[in-house]
Amino acid sequence: MKKYILILLLTSFFVQSQEKAYWGCINFSVDNNSDAEELVEAMDGLFESPQAEMIPYTVFLTQIEFKNSAEDFTHQLCFLGQDASVFKGWGGGPPPTPEGKLLNKIFEQVAEWEGSVLGSPLIFDPSKVGYKYANIWGVNVKDVPKYAELAGGFIAANSNNFDGTIELHEIISGGNDNVTHIMIARSNDLGDWLKGREAVFANPGSEKFLTTANKYSTTIQSFSSTTLRVYNSP
């Protein structure tokens, strides 16, 4: 059985800041556990080296726990910068250091590119990125202003309702067909996440979003992950 690993990149950013954060993700597949472990070891070597300071992103490495059959990729490598200027060097690949060359070589040997996506956080609390378990929903939003109002109220109503956090991100380019936004709910582990889910559904402040959001949106995909590594943490 393949070991599914997701690499999700996030960084500290405040919604009220004039600087807008962006993230880019590369989807790829790896056939077996040993290849995945070799790739992760190479990533450790790069991001734990002094040259990692050359990489202007924060990297979160997570492992997928549940996914639907429509998802072809087994891994995702994402880069998020604090503003648009960070992406001026996008597309250059790993730095030309021994660690960077090794990672690039192993990636070419064991990984197959499956797609890519560009996005940006909309509602995100940087103080809560330490939660290790997350569920991600890909959503097609038909009426952005109405959905944003509902989602904002829903997230605010549950900001202190459970040991976790809920986020909203926009998709700018690429990704799954028809997915315009993603919503992420995080907690410590699957057990705490399930308890949090129960608390969210029991909260009267959630009712408006849960009963009316489907008028303005359709859920396209859903998967969950557990964080394994954090690289270049701010």
Side-chain angles (χ1 to χ4, degrees):
M1 180 181 294
K2 295 180 179 179
K3 190 72 170 179
Y4 298 107
I5 298 178
L6 164 74
I7 301 176
L8 177 62
L9 184 82
L10 294 172
T11 190
S12 296
F13 115 103
F14 293 90
V15 174
Q16 67 266 25
S17 172
Q18 292 182 353
E19 293 184 343
K20 183 173 178 60
Y22 295 92
W23 48 260
C25 295
I26 300 169
N27 300 337
F28 63 96
S29 58
V30 176
D31 286 336
N32 56 66
N33 291 351
S34 60
D35 286 344
E37 291 170 359
E38 184 180 11
L39 186 60
V40 171
E41 288 178 3
M43 290 188 61
D44 286 344
L46 172 61
F47 286 103
E48 293 172 3
S49 70
Q51 290 75 22
E53 295 180 0
M54 301 168 55
I55 304 172
Y57 310 103
T58 299
V59 181
F60 284 61
L61 172 62
T62 68
Q63 175 178 297
I64 292 180
E65 303 292 353
F66 302 101
K67 64 189 287 285
N68 59 45
S69 59
E71 302 295 348
D72 294 330
F73 63 91
T74 65
H75 301 70
Q76 187 178 53
L77 181 61
C78 303
F79 307 86
L80 185 140
Q82 207 158 4
D83 56 46
S85 65
V86 171
F87 288 86
K88 289 183 178 180
W90 178 260
T97 63
E99 295 84 2
K101 291 179 180 179
L102 178 61
L103 173 58
N104 192 59
K105 178 182 178 180
I106 293 175
F107 185 91
E108 291 180 347
Q109 290 175 342
V110 306
E112 181 177 355
W113 185 86
E114 301 287 359
S116 57
V117 57
L118 176 68
S120 178
L122 297 177
I123 303 175
F124 170 59
D125 186 345
S127 69
K128 297 184 177 182
V129 296
Y131 288 108
K132 291 189 174 183
Y133 189 87
N135 200 91
I136 299 93
W137 294 269
V139 183
N140 174 254
V141 177
K142 304 174 182 65
D143 189 321
V144 174
K146 291 182 179 179
Y147 183 85
E149 181 181 357
L150 286 170
F154 170 69
I155 292 172
N158 288 286
S159 60
N160 297 306
N161 186 38
F162 70 105
D163 190 4
T165 187
I166 303 174
E167 306 166 9
L168 181 66
H169 301 252
E170 66 172 331
I171 302 300
I172 297 172
S173 183
N176 286 49
D177 291 345
N178 301 317
V179 172
T180 62
H181 294 75
I182 60 172
M183 183 169 281
I184 305 175
R186 304 183 188 276
S187 194
N188 301 300
D189 49 45
L190 177 56
D192 284 351
W193 187 89
L194 291 171
K195 291 179 181 177
R197 180 179 183 272
E198 294 171 1
V200 167
F201 275 89
N203 182 6
S206 302
E207 183 177 359
K208 186 175 182 180
F209 176 82
L210 296 176
T211 58
T212 61
N214 60 356
K215 295 180 180 179
Y216 313 112
S217 65
T218 302
T219 299
I220 305 296
Q221 65 176 154
S222 176
F223 60 93
S224 65
S225 62
T226 298
T227 300
L228 300 178
R229 302 281 201 283
V230 180
Y231 301 116
N232 289 355
S233 180

